Amino acid sequence: MRLLPVAIALIAAAIRLAPLLRSDLSFAMRPDDSFEYMQLAHGIRHGCGFARLAGGSCQPPEILRTPGYPIFLALFGDSIRWVLAAQAIMGGVVCLLVAEWIGGCWNLSAGLAAELLIAFDLPSIVMSNEVMAESLFQLALTAALILALRVGSRPRNAILTAAFAGAFAGAAVLIRPIAIILPFLLPVPLLASSRLERRLRLAAAALAFAIPTLALCVWSSRNYYVARYPGLSTVGAINMYYYRAADIVARRRGILLAAARASFARRLGVPYERIYSAAVQSPELARRMNRMGFEVVESYPWQAAAMTLQAAAYLALSPIRSPLARMLGTQGATAGDGLNAGAPSLGRVRMALQSMFGSPLLTALVALEAGLTLVLWIGIANGLARCRRVPNDYQMWVVYLAVSGVLLMVLAAGGEADVRFRAPVIPLLAAAAALGCFPSPAPLADAGEGLVPPASTGCDQSHRIVEESK
């Protein structure tokens, strides 16, 4: 039994490595995003600083993309295949991290269940095979939150563990700007821990807050120094104008998001096709997009709320389809924005389903993903319901992981919502779901099979409370 978590992690890595057997890796390059990341990696390697190398010359200093993923790409030179291989291995590492943590602190069944949900999660598998930041972000995010929770259940070396949690959170901030909320999320389990004495609790929480905040401040200062932009990234302004505000208008007019963006481009004076170019990024443009975008949101608050709720549901439930079809080399991929973008349309859904049904393999995998997604949310719901009777570590783990995962999806819920945004939070949701499906404490037999016995982790108190609540 002690080898089961390792075996599942190896299977997860093998599944993610399998697409590399194809000679054509064009499926790994997502238009715009992947090429911009690669241009930044080339710029780093060829002495441009943190700027894109395009057309043989260095572009202006980058203030759109953050440095974490381009630096990771630069380590592998021009080899996309090695990048994807490293991302596949990271997927296996994430599986093992979650399994060892849940299995050691609660029970083997829950650890294995969480690991299986991550191992066979199709968005995670697909994103590990694209030159995109999701896989690296998933690893940093998972490590940061697991370490923060471990401080509460294993007080020994609390300061050192909190420092490592903060370091991973700082890395996550520099990989994806949406991680800007981590300085506020990370101290929560530390402050709520009843096993740490007050001074140690405050010190650990302060460290977990300070390290990612320092990363945020350092990179924002760099952006101000090179371009007078006082922020982490201009991507928030682009999303606000060309996705959130434009999507509200598209829904009101009953048109596609692409059509609404065309009118927004005329107002801004910068076509959407050029908005990600390094040459047009500036503090002034970001301010204009934020101002005009917020005006639309403030004018139509109910439509903005409806858009956010629908996009969040889409992120939580929708299967990944077009990128999966491209990775498999089958039909079923469609061009353009996702089904969430613009006014809801049964016609678009029908066309997507007809395209998907043309590939039996794609249809079967999407059905499998739908089933696993259903299990995921049923497990989370069961865990949250049980929390009313178990006011201790179990409650903190389930609520903290579920809320953190949902919050990160809600922050990405707009016209830009893409199923790939679910991949980074899958380990958090899978852990919460596994605890909901297997809430019983670890039997002695499980502890003796190789995972850390609960009595040695500091988790025994919560086990007794669960037993008493039954």
Side-chain angles (χ1 to χ4, degrees):
M1 293 293 286
R2 78 174 53 183
L3 294 179
L4 269 178
V6 176
I8 295 173
L10 291 174
I11 291 171
I15 292 172
R16 288 156 173 75
L17 286 167
L20 298 185
L21 296 175
R22 295 181 58 184
S23 58
D24 179 14
L25 296 182
S26 59
F27 62 84
M29 301 298 291
R30 187 175 289 240
D32 297 333
D33 300 79
S34 297
F35 291 104
E36 290 164 9
Y37 281 130
M38 291 301 295
Q39 287 174 344
L40 281 166
H42 292 155
I44 292 170
R45 293 176 57 241
H46 288 85
C48 296
F50 191 65
R52 304 178 200 179
L53 179 66
S57 62
C58 297
Q59 301 298 297
E62 182 75 11
I63 58 174
L64 171 63
R65 305 292 180 186
T66 44
Y69 192 62
I71 291 174
F72 170 77
L73 293 178
L75 299 176
F76 297 92
D78 296 322
S79 177
I80 293 176
R81 197 173 295 273
W82 280 110
V83 169
L84 302 185
Q87 292 181 171
I89 293 171
M90 286 191 295
V93 170
V94 168
C95 287
L96 195 57
L97 280 175
V98 174
E100 289 293 327
W101 170 60
I102 296 292
C105 267
W106 200 254
N107 69 65
L108 179 59
S109 297
L112 295 178
E115 190 176 19
L116 287 169
L117 286 172
I118 301 166
F120 293 100
D121 177 63
L122 284 181
S124 298
I125 294 170
V126 171
M127 295 318 302
S128 72
N129 279 283
E130 288 192 8
V131 180
M132 295 291 287
E134 271 67 25
S135 292
L136 188 62
F137 183 54
Q138 182 189 73
L139 176 61
L141 178 67
T142 303
L145 269 62
I146 283 180
L147 288 171
L149 285 168
R150 285 181 72 92
V151 173
S153 61
R154 187 180 292 179
R156 189 176 60 181
N157 299 324
I159 295 297
L160 183 61
T161 306
F164 275 111
F168 278 110
V173 168
L174 297 179
I175 295 168
R176 285 277 305 274
I178 199 170
I180 196 172
I181 66 167
L182 287 185
F184 306 98
L185 277 180
L186 211 59
V188 171
L190 307 179
L191 293 172
S193 174
S194 60
R195 294 197 176 94
L196 295 175
E197 62 97 11
R198 184 172 179 272
R199 187 166 56 181
L200 186 59
R201 187 164 63 238
L202 292 175
L207 197 59
F209 172 82
I211 294 176
T213 301
L214 179 63
L216 167 63
C217 292
V218 166
W219 193 250
S220 297
S221 299
R222 175 265 178 193
N223 286 344
Y224 186 78
Y225 177 77
V226 300
R228 293 296 183 267
Y229 178 69
L232 185 64
S233 166
T234 56
V235 71
I238 295 172
N239 288 343
M240 172 58 67
Y241 185 72
Y242 268 120
Y243 284 99
R244 304 293 174 97
D247 199 53
I248 291 171
V249 171
R251 290 164 185 268
R252 284 183 56 81
R253 295 179 181 175
I255 59 178
L256 296 177
L257 176 59
R261 279 201 297 247
S263 64
F264 273 58
R266 289 191 291 271
R267 287 184 59 200
L268 187 66
V270 180
Y272 171 74
E273 292 74 19
R274 292 195 62 230
I275 198 62
Y276 292 99
S277 169
V280 304
Q281 302 299 314
S282 69
E284 295 76 17
L285 181 64
R287 282 195 291 268
R288 287 180 60 206
M289 288 191 290
N290 274 325
R291 176 176 54 80
M292 292 191 291
F294 274 117
E295 287 175 356
V296 174
V297 173
E298 291 172 354
S299 299
Y300 307 107
W302 291 110
Q303 288 86 346
M307 172 194 68
T308 302
L309 287 174
Q310 180 186 318
Y314 175 79
L315 285 176
L317 301 172
S318 181
I320 195 164
R321 180 179 44 84
S322 291
L324 176 60
R326 288 192 290 269
M327 186 186 78
L328 296 172
T330 69
Q331 65 183 81
T334 53
D337 298 307
L339 294 176
N340 171 71
S345 169
L346 290 177
R348 280 195 294 155
V349 174
R350 186 165 51 248
M351 289 177 59
L353 289 175
Q354 289 174 349
S355 176
M356 182 186 74
F357 290 150
S359 169
L361 176 59
L362 180 63
T363 303
L365 289 176
V366 167
L368 172 64
E369 183 186 356
L372 291 175
T373 303
L374 181 62
V375 170
L376 182 82
W377 290 109
I378 289 175
I380 292 172
N382 189 47
L384 292 174
R386 181 172 293 274
C387 283
R388 293 176 298 176
R389 305 191 301 273
V390 189
N392 206 275
D393 280 354
Y394 184 91
Q395 183 183 60
M396 172 55 67
W397 298 337
V398 173
V399 173
Y400 180 70
L401 292 170
V403 169
S404 297
V406 170
L407 180 58
L408 283 164
M409 287 195 292
V410 169
L411 290 176
E416 77 275 21
D418 190 306
V419 181
R420 67 185 173 93
F421 295 153
R422 188 168 75 231
V425 302
I426 280 296
L428 314 182
L429 300 178
L435 288 171
C437 292
F438 299 97
S440 298
L444 186 60
D446 276 2
E449 289 289 348
L451 293 182
V452 181
S456 69
T457 65
C459 303
D460 53 314
Q461 181 183 352
S462 57
H463 288 179
R464 289 196 299 271
I465 293 174
V466 172
E467 285 296 299
E468 292 167 1
S469 72
K470 292 185 177 180

